[in-house]
Amino acid sequence: MPNDDMISQQPAQEKKEREKNLDKMRQKKRRELVAKKFGKIVPIHMLEETKARLEMIAKKTAISRKEHNAAEKRSSVIAELVNQYYIDNLLAYEHENSELAYNTYNKIWQANFQGKPADVIARQLNKAGTRIPYFDDKSGKIVVESGKWKKDDIETFSDTALVIKIIESNEKNTKRNAK
C-alpha cells in the first residue's frame, strides 16, 4: 500500500515531467523555425584562439545585438564579417549615389568601431555637412538629401545587410533606367 509521501510526490513528478516535455517541444519548434529561416545549422569548428579573436571582434562590431548566448553572438559576428567583406571587396557601386552610400557606411562603421554612440556620429556627420543617402522604396534607388542626420539614420547605415540591399537595388535600377 502506498504511503502518504509517495502520493504527494507523484503530482510533483508528473508536473516536472510535463514541463520537461513542453520544453522539449518548444526547443524543437524553435530549431525548426531557425532551420526554415536560415537553413540547416552547421557547426563551425575553430581553435580556441580563433574563438577568442572572434569574441574581441564581437565587442567591436556589435552595435545593437540582441543575441542571448555565445553561439548566437559568434554567428552574428561571422555574418557581419561576411557582409563587410562583400561590401568592401565584391559589391559594385558605380553610380555616384551608391558610392556616397558606401563612403557614408565606411565613416559610420569606423565611428562604430571606435565605440562612438549614434548621436555623436550623427553630430559629426552634420558638422561635416555629409549629405544623407536614403532608400526610396518606390523607385528602388538611393536618393540624396541635405538634412540633419538622426540616430535612426546611423542605425540604418550600421546594418551591413541593409546597406548591401540598398546599394544592390540602386545599381540594378540605375542600370535598368539607363537602358
Side-chain angles (χ1 to χ4, degrees):
M1 185 161 193
N3 63 26
D4 289 340
D5 283 343
M6 287 178 64
I7 293 172
S8 65
Q9 288 177 353
Q10 198 172 13
Q13 286 176 329
E14 288 175 5
K15 181 179 178 186
K16 194 174 184 180
E17 196 62 35
R18 268 195 319 273
E19 288 174 354
K20 186 177 176 181
N21 288 334
L22 287 172
D23 192 44
K24 277 183 181 179
M25 290 189 318
R26 184 179 46 74
Q27 289 175 3
K28 182 181 178 195
K29 184 176 180 178
R30 182 177 184 272
R31 280 192 304 272
E32 289 170 353
L33 291 172
V34 168
K36 186 177 180 180
K37 185 173 181 179
F38 298 110
K40 184 181 175 186
I41 294 173
V42 179
I44 297 177
H45 305 286
M46 58 180 80
L47 299 171
E48 286 304 315
E49 298 88 7
T50 305
K51 284 181 187 176
R53 291 181 199 116
L54 192 59
E55 294 298 326
M56 289 169 46
I57 293 169
K59 290 176 185 169
K60 287 286 196 175
T61 61
I63 309 307
S64 60
R65 307 276 186 248
K66 296 178 179 83
E67 294 80 10
H68 300 290
N69 61 44
E72 288 178 359
K73 287 178 185 172
R74 283 189 214 116
S75 178
S76 290
V77 172
I78 291 168
E80 180 71 15
L81 292 173
V82 168
N83 285 338
Q84 287 175 0
Y85 184 88
Y86 180 79
I87 287 173
D88 290 340
N89 299 294
L90 302 173
L91 183 62
Y93 36 90
E94 297 170 3
H95 188 270
E96 73 178 275
N97 288 351
S98 296
E99 191 169 344
L100 174 65
Y102 171 74
N103 291 333
T104 302
Y105 155 79
N106 280 327
K107 288 177 188 176
I108 292 170
W109 187 89
Q110 188 62 40
N112 280 328
F113 193 76
Q114 293 168 352
K116 295 180 182 176
D119 58 332
V120 171
I121 299 169
R123 277 196 301 271
Q124 288 176 335
L125 292 172
N126 287 328
K127 187 176 181 181
T130 304
R131 296 179 304 153
I132 305 171
Y134 73 92
F135 188 69
D136 178 33
D137 289 329
K138 291 181 184 176
S139 68
K141 292 186 191 177
I142 298 170
V143 179
V144 180
E145 70 175 32
S146 53
K148 294 279 185 201
W149 281 89
K150 298 177 190 85
K151 188 177 176 181
D152 291 346
D153 301 321
I154 304 305
E155 289 171 3
T156 296
F157 277 90
S158 296
D159 182 344
T160 53
L162 185 57
V163 171
I164 290 169
K165 189 175 178 180
I166 288 170
I167 293 174
E168 284 179 338
S169 179
N170 188 66
E171 290 295 315
K172 183 176 75 176
N173 285 316
T174 300
K175 287 178 185 173
R176 185 183 305 146
N177 290 344
K179 291 180 180 179

